[in-house]
Amino acid sequence: MLKDKVGIITGASRGIGRATAVAFAHAGATVVLASRTQHDLETVADLIRAEGGEALVVPADVTQAEAVETLVNRTLQAYGQIDILVNNAGTGVFEPIVDSDPEVWTQVVASNLQSTYLCSKYVLPSMLERQSGQIINVLSIAAKVAFKASSAYCAAKAGALAFTKVLADEVRDQKIRVTAISPGSVDTPFWNEIEGHPELNLMLKPEHVAETILFAATQPDGMVTDEIVVTPPLGIL
Ligand SMILES: NC(=O)c1ccc[n+]([C@@H]2O[C@H](COP(=O)([O-])OP(=O)(O)OC[C@H]3O[C@@H](n4cnc5c(N)ncnc54)[C@H](OP(=O)(O)O)[C@@H]3O)[C@@H](O)[C@H]2O)c1
């Protein structure tokens, strides 16, 4: 399905990004794995290579423009093209506004929103040149629903949804497809440090979201899926 395609996946070291990298590799794609933690990325790459796939590890803090430029340049040097960008990296810190730390708040916005802007910006020139490409932004149900103690996360994801719509309209006529995917709760390490989270066994599995991302990446010609919302069977937990 993705033979001869090259995909960059941010936040590929664990959770949804890791599952997406594995699903893309199973579908035949060459995957470029980005996050801040080289050791964890190498583990994912080893898993993919052990199954005959092709993976490149590029450690990058995707809130930093220079690191993102390097990620894009290294991908182009290695493979000459970028067919798919999955903007998946993100963090969540959940505290009431009155108790929040401005630096932490800003970092949550940067990891979810700034990263999506930067990766899209630096990948776009090569996609525009080829008049081909797919950008898939992993948002959250928090882009659409307000949750208490989630101001940074909701603002970042809602901002990323608005950004996604603008991006889609800017490149729609140049054969670049942009899709927003907004999952409900997913059982990943995202929840490890968060007290009082919903039951993990009621959540989606990362593989469910990976399948949804794979669908977006393999849409037939002649259609664009602008937005997908995917929730656990019980809905918003
Ligand atoms: N889990 C859920 O319930 C859920 C629901 C809806 C949407 N989402 C969204 O899905 C995405 C993936 O979440 P997840 O559940 O898989 O979380 P996760 O298991 O905590 O994984 C987050 C990934 O993002 C990477 N990352 C974080 N900050 C980064 C930065 N500045 N630069 C580069 N990489 C960075 C992490 O790698 P390093 O630490 O190695 O950098 C890790 O690979 C996020 O955007 C999240 O908001 C999650």
Side-chain angles (χ1 to χ4, degrees):
M1 271 193 296
L2 290 178
K3 196 172 165 298
D4 301 325
K5 303 286 187 194
V6 178
I8 295 178
I9 299 153
T10 72
S13 60
R14 55 179 189 264
I16 294 168
R18 175 187 166 121
T20 302
V22 170
F24 273 30
H26 284 164
T30 293
V31 287
V32 179
L33 312 176
S35 89
R36 296 164 300 183
T37 318
Q38 176 151 11
H39 173 268
D40 293 350
L41 294 173
E42 297 288 0
T43 303
V44 181
D46 287 347
L47 180 75
I48 287 168
R49 291 178 192 132
E51 295 179 343
E54 169 75 17
L56 174 70
V57 165
V58 185
D61 178 343
V62 291
T63 67
Q64 303 300 315
E66 206 176 312
V68 173
E69 241 186 315
T70 302
L71 166 65
V72 169
N73 288 340
R74 283 195 55 195
T75 304
L76 291 172
Q77 277 158 13
Y79 304 117
Q81 66 192 60
I82 301 167
D83 299 282
I84 306 159
L85 166 66
V86 182
N87 280 312
N88 165 76
T91 57
V93 175
F94 299 95
E95 52 196 4
I97 295 163
V98 69
D99 300 329
S100 62
D101 174 333
E103 275 183 30
V104 172
W105 202 97
T106 304
Q107 183 53 33
V108 170
V109 174
S111 70
N112 289 287
L113 175 56
Q114 186 91 349
S115 62
T116 300
Y117 155 68
L118 287 173
C119 292
S120 303
K121 173 188 163 50
Y122 286 108
V123 157
L124 271 179
S126 69
M127 289 187 173
L128 288 169
E129 196 180 312
R130 294 172 65 223
Q131 293 277 292
S132 169
Q134 173 84 51
I135 298 178
I136 300 162
N137 293 342
V138 180
L139 309 178
S140 165
I141 200 73
K144 308 166 88 64
V145 177
F147 296 97
K148 283 181 191 168
S150 307
S151 64
Y153 192 67
C154 286
K157 292 300 192 184
L161 179 57
F163 172 82
T164 304
K165 290 177 182 172
V166 174
L167 174 65
D169 278 353
E170 285 187 2
V171 298
R172 201 179 276 288
D173 61 351
Q174 299 182 74
K175 301 195 170 62
I176 298 170
R177 287 193 286 215
V178 180
T179 304
I181 297 184
S182 295
S185 303
V186 190
D187 177 4
T188 72
F190 181 90
W191 297 103
N192 284 358
E193 309 292 317
I194 297 166
E195 279 176 29
H197 59 68
E199 273 184 56
L200 295 171
N201 64 6
L202 297 179
M203 296 182 181
L204 292 164
K205 298 293 171 216
E207 290 74 19
H208 293 133
V209 184
E211 279 302 316
T212 312
I213 295 169
L214 185 60
F215 163 77
T218 55
Q219 294 167 67
D221 286 344
M223 66 176 276
V224 180
T225 303
D226 290 316
E227 195 181 344
I228 303 173
V229 177
V230 52
T231 49
L234 294 179
I236 296 174
L237 301 177

